[in-house]
Amino acid sequence: MRLSSLLALLRPALPLILGLSLGCSLSLLRVSWIQGEGEDPCVEAVGERGGPQNPDSRARLDQSDEDFKPRIVPYYRDPNKPYKKVLRTRYIQTELGSRERLLVAVLTSRATLSTLAVAVNRTVAHHFPRLLYFTGQRGARAPAGMQVVSHGDERPAWLMSETLRHLHTHFGADYDWFFIMQDDTYVQAPRLAALAGHLSINQDLYLGRAEEFIGAGEQARYCHGGFGYLLSRSLLLRLRPHLDGCRGDILSARPDEWLGRCLIDSLGVGCVSQHQGQQYRSFELAKNRDPEKEGSSAFLSAFAVHPVSEGTLMYRLHKRFSALELERAYSEIEQLQAQIRNLTVLTPEGEAGLTGPGSL
């Protein structure tokens, strides 16, 4: 009775016990079979490759294994050969030759550095990889969180020339596009970044709000500095050798006109407002106009708004455009939800299978 009950308990484990017993038996048979063989097959293989071996070859092999010790080989450099140090970059994109998309340069002054320039920095600095401020004031004290470059000369042509020279020298190899603006300009940063992302970099492009020179032909246009303008990297590289000549030959009280004349005279490149299907849209803000009451299509789609007379107006413009971007984001979400509902008709569960926050 006890034996039958014991067998009943062990019955589920019988396949495991039989398997272990069979495995142990086969392992013992294999060990005995290997030990019963002649010489080590590895030694025989060595003998076949190296030729016939005497009977003591295996003993010598075992002795050589016992006597083996690692040996450190010191580094030696021939003093007669030139030594070239290999420098590795900090970031892999630098080693691969990749560049950032956009650098923004803001022209400011002694009177507006601590007011309008600070307002520009607080509204758009977090959208761009690099934001620099250029002033002619000597020894200008930079506000907190701002990188200010002082040229020491407030003449318009000199300020523009030195700004372009600085951009070429320090950032010409790191960025594809350079956006130059004044500190009395509000820029819709996400739209500007998207515009730069849609333009081809392998071209000489001078893009902004095109204005005609007084008494010049229709093709002679410059980009209005109050609304900002884009310069491609290739155009900046071509312009660099002509900056000194333009500064001595061209007289202008406005830096944007000076730059436009320099580009036309030296390279034959004028300002354009549209390129590759991309339109540079700007809006001129009337004096004492409330941004909350602006509802025209030109205002709602603008990349830049000018003039901005004070920092408070800059913040109000930022609030208005941020609200517009938020409304646009909610509208896109609703459209995506409607598309998902339409696609659920093709699923087996239909709209009952919708899951997620709020179930769309």
Side-chain angles (χ1 to χ4, degrees):
M1 188 69 178
R2 293 179 179 178
L3 181 61
S4 60
S5 60
L6 181 61
L7 291 175
L9 292 174
L10 294 177
R11 185 172 299 170
L14 285 177
L16 177 61
I17 297 173
L18 292 176
L20 291 174
S21 302
L22 182 60
C24 293
S25 302
L26 292 176
S27 300
L28 293 175
L29 290 175
R30 183 176 182 275
V31 170
S32 62
W33 176 67
I34 292 176
Q35 291 178 351
E37 288 184 351
E39 297 181 357
D40 192 348
C42 296
V43 177
E44 294 178 358
V46 173
E48 291 176 358
R49 295 191 188 94
Q53 292 185 348
N54 55 29
D56 297 333
S57 60
R58 182 174 180 180
R60 289 199 304 269
L61 183 61
D62 295 338
Q63 185 178 1
S64 64
D65 291 341
E66 293 177 359
D67 296 339
F68 174 77
K69 293 182 179 180
R71 183 168 60 94
I72 299 176
V73 179
Y75 170 74
Y76 172 75
R77 180 172 63 88
D78 189 353
N80 298 323
K81 294 182 178 180
Y83 176 68
K84 182 178 181 181
K85 185 178 180 180
V86 179
L87 298 177
R88 300 303 300 271
T89 57
R90 183 178 181 182
Y91 302 104
I92 188 63
Q93 68 173 13
T94 306
E95 190 165 335
L96 295 176
S98 302
R99 291 185 293 269
E100 292 286 352
R101 196 67 179 176
L102 181 63
L103 181 146
V104 178
V106 183
L107 303 181
T108 184
S109 63
R110 183 195 303 268
T112 59
L113 177 60
S114 59
T115 54
L116 286 175
V118 171
V120 171
N121 190 72
R122 291 179 176 176
T123 54
V124 301
H126 54 285
H127 290 284
F128 300 119
R130 182 63 66 91
L131 185 63
L132 300 176
Y133 298 85
F134 295 89
T135 178
Q137 178 185 355
R138 184 181 300 274
R141 185 175 179 180
M146 296 171 57
Q147 186 174 354
V148 179
V149 179
S150 301
H151 294 314
D153 195 322
E154 296 184 351
R155 290 176 294 177
W158 180 277
L159 177 61
M160 178 58 70
S161 174
E162 291 302 312
T163 297
L164 295 174
R165 190 191 308 274
H166 184 91
L167 294 177
H168 173 272
T169 303
H170 298 279
F171 306 101
D174 301 329
Y175 291 87
D176 291 328
W177 293 97
F178 299 88
F179 183 75
I180 302 175
M181 57 177 284
Q182 299 174 181
D183 58 3
D184 60 347
T185 304
Y186 174 77
V187 175
Q188 231 293 332
R191 296 180 188 176
L192 179 63
L195 174 66
H198 285 87
L199 295 173
S200 176
I201 62 175
N202 298 322
Q203 55 192 333
D204 296 337
L205 185 60
Y206 178 35
L207 180 68
R209 176 163 174 166
E211 301 283 348
E212 293 185 7
F213 292 101
I214 299 177
E218 185 177 354
Q219 299 299 326
R221 293 173 177 265
Y222 70 97
C223 289
H224 195 292
F227 301 97
Y229 44 87
L230 276 171
L231 288 176
S232 64
R233 174 177 176 268
S234 61
L235 184 60
L236 180 62
L237 296 180
R238 289 184 58 197
L239 179 63
R240 170 62 182 87
H242 303 281
L243 291 178
D244 292 336
C246 290
R247 190 167 58 187
D249 298 339
I250 301 175
L251 300 177
S252 178
R254 293 184 50 175
D256 51 359
E257 290 187 359
W258 178 89
L259 175 60
R261 178 60 66 187
C262 182
L263 286 169
I264 293 173
D265 294 347
S266 59
L267 302 177
V269 178
C271 178
V272 295
S273 297
Q274 185 175 0
H275 185 74
Q276 293 181 345
Q278 301 294 323
Q279 178 76 29
Y280 187 84
R281 297 180 293 271
S282 59
F283 183 81
E284 185 172 358
L285 188 66
K287 189 175 181 180
N288 298 326
R289 186 66 178 177
D290 187 2
E292 298 294 333
K293 298 180 180 179
E294 290 289 349
S296 63
S297 59
F299 175 82
L300 298 179
S301 61
F303 292 97
V305 178
H306 173 79
V308 182
S309 57
E310 56 183 4
T312 304
L313 182 57
M314 186 83 68
Y315 298 131
R316 292 170 61 192
L317 284 167
H318 187 64
K319 177 183 176 181
R320 173 70 167 144
F321 278 100
S322 298
L324 292 174
E325 290 297 322
L326 189 61
E327 292 176 2
R328 184 178 291 106
Y330 281 133
S331 176
E332 292 177 356
I333 292 174
E334 292 177 357
Q335 293 177 5
L336 291 174
Q337 290 177 342
Q339 293 176 6
I340 293 173
R341 291 193 187 94
N342 294 334
L343 291 175
T344 54
V345 180
L346 305 176
T347 62
E349 297 180 357
E351 292 190 6
L354 290 176
T355 59
S359 298
L360 300 183

